């Protein structure tokens, strides 16, 4: 069944992405005009790890997960992307295969920009390359942190950190606390944390029992942000 998503895109979100930063209106409009809208149904694969890559993408709406698979079939989630996030640029810049798979967590819209447009664009607009470098640098920083956490942090610490990360992206303030509609299954949360479903569930249940969070299906209400933040450090 075709996704019942309309073609509308929140342009303000698109303009805040690194590709557009520092551009005047005419340049931004020209870049935007060369992007194609791709609609994804929940669970639809945009590309797979190992594929050739010739487009980069910006999430316009919805959520997209980036994940890798080990040879024994175990899956690891690198990141959950939301509106305004860019991805798929690595294989364009180093001409290697896709380093991860991109799969829609919810019905989503992404904007695609072809390689043939990206390279001349970056040459013509050096300020864009600086923004892209800044994005790559912060991603490497975050990856180093994740690797450090896998070695030095326990599972509850990593769960707390994952919830805080998700709240930064998807949190909405409510009277009671911060409501985070992450849309992830327990299995996906475990893949994001890099631990078994059982240990992740145990950590979540413990946080809930302490009154730090309340679990609500594929969402979580963070009731004590400070304690959760401390646990994730
Ligand atoms: P590419 O390799 O073309 O396709 C998969 C994309 O996932 C990749 O480009 C990056 O945009 C993104 N990606 C890969 N590794 C990470 C990571 N560790 N953290 C966040 N995003 C990543």
């Amino acid at each position: 069944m075709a996704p019942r998503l309309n073609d509308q895109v929140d342009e303000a979100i698109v303009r805040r992405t690194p590709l557009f930063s520092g551009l005047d209106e005419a340049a931004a409009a020209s870049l935007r005009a060369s992007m194609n809208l791709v609609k994804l149904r929940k669970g639809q694969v945009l590309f797979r790890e190992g594929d050739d890559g010739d487009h980069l993408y910006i999430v316009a709406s919805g959520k997209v997960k980036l994940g890798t698979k080990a040879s024994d079939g175990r899956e690891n989630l690198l990141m959950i992307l939301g509106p305004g996030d860019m991805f798929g640029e690595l294989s364009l810049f180093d001409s290697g295969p896709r380093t991860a798979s991109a799969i829609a967590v919810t019905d989503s819209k992404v904007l695609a920009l072809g390689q043939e447009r990206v390279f001349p664009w970056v040459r013509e607009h050096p300020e864009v390359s600086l923004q892209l470098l800044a994005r790559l640098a912060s991603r490497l920083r975050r990856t180093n942190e994740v690797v450090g956490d896998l070695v030095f942090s326990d599972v509850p610490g990593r769960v707390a950190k994952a919830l805080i990360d998700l709240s930064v992206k998807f949190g909405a303030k409510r009277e009671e606390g911060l409501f985070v509609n992450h849309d992830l299954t327990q299995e996906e949360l475990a893949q994001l944390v890099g631990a078994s479903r059982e240990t992740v569930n145990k950590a979540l249940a413990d946080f809930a029992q302490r009154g730090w969070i309340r679990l609500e299906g594929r969402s979580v209400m963070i009731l004590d942000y400070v304690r959760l933040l401390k646990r994730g450090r």
Side-chain angles (χ1 to χ4, degrees):
M1 201 176 68
R4 270 184 287 154
L5 288 167
N6 62 31
D7 283 354
Q8 275 193 334
V9 164
D10 184 342
E11 297 298 334
I13 288 172
V14 180
R15 296 292 174 97
R16 282 200 293 270
T17 59
L19 269 182
F20 285 87
S21 38
L23 297 180
D24 62 35
E25 182 49 38
S30 148
L31 179 64
R32 175 66 183 86
S34 48
M35 302 184 98
N36 295 320
L37 181 66
V38 181
K39 296 181 205 173
L40 300 168
R41 280 176 312 234
K42 179 180 173 166
Q44 192 174 334
V45 177
L46 179 62
F47 57 73
R48 288 222 183 262
E49 183 182 1
D51 287 352
D52 288 336
D54 52 9
H55 284 80
L56 64 73
Y57 300 92
I58 292 171
V59 181
S61 68
K63 296 186 182 84
V64 173
K65 62 179 180 179
L66 296 174
T68 58
K69 213 174 198 171
S71 50
D72 63 4
R74 280 182 301 167
E75 291 184 43
N76 172 236
L77 289 184
L78 299 172
M79 205 175 220
I80 309 299
L81 305 173
D85 285 331
M86 191 188 72
F87 66 105
E89 76 292 358
L90 292 188
S91 50
L92 293 199
F93 292 129
D94 74 357
S95 304
R98 293 287 190 199
T99 55
S101 302
I103 301 171
V105 176
T106 60
D107 286 353
S108 303
K109 287 186 264 190
V110 298
L111 290 168
L113 185 64
Q115 186 171 29
E116 72 294 343
R117 193 77 173 89
V118 176
F119 286 4
W121 187 258
V122 171
R123 276 193 205 102
E124 283 164 32
H125 300 275
E127 64 276 25
V128 170
S129 50
L130 287 177
Q131 294 296 333
L132 290 172
L133 275 175
R135 185 52 59 100
L136 282 176
S138 61
R139 186 173 292 162
L140 183 57
R141 234 175 235 284
R142 183 183 170 276
T143 302
N144 286 348
E145 221 181 285
V146 170
V147 172
D149 287 345
L150 281 173
V151 178
F152 300 118
S153 291
D154 58 1
V155 174
R158 294 189 338 243
V159 172
K161 202 164 191 174
L163 293 178
I164 296 290
D165 278 356
L166 289 167
S167 78
V168 171
K169 218 171 247 179
F170 305 114
K173 272 202 184 116
R174 297 273 164 85
E175 214 170 294
E176 275 188 283
L178 196 54
F179 183 68
V180 189
N181 179 216
H182 53 65
D183 279 304
L184 301 175
T185 62
Q186 291 183 343
E187 187 64 41
E188 287 170 325
L189 258 183
Q191 290 168 356
L192 188 62
V193 169
S196 72
R197 196 151 71 98
E198 292 71 25
T199 35
V200 170
N201 282 349
K202 218 168 121 195
L204 288 170
D206 178 57
F207 295 164
Q209 204 255 329
R210 288 168 191 269
W212 298 356
I213 61 170
R214 193 173 63 236
L215 298 167
E216 300 184 4
R218 291 186 186 184
S219 307
V220 61
M221 178 71 86
I222 299 182
L223 302 164
D224 194 334
Y225 190 87
V226 174
R227 289 235 159 76
L228 198 64
L229 188 67
K230 273 195 190 145
R231 188 62 183 86
R233 274 202 190 124

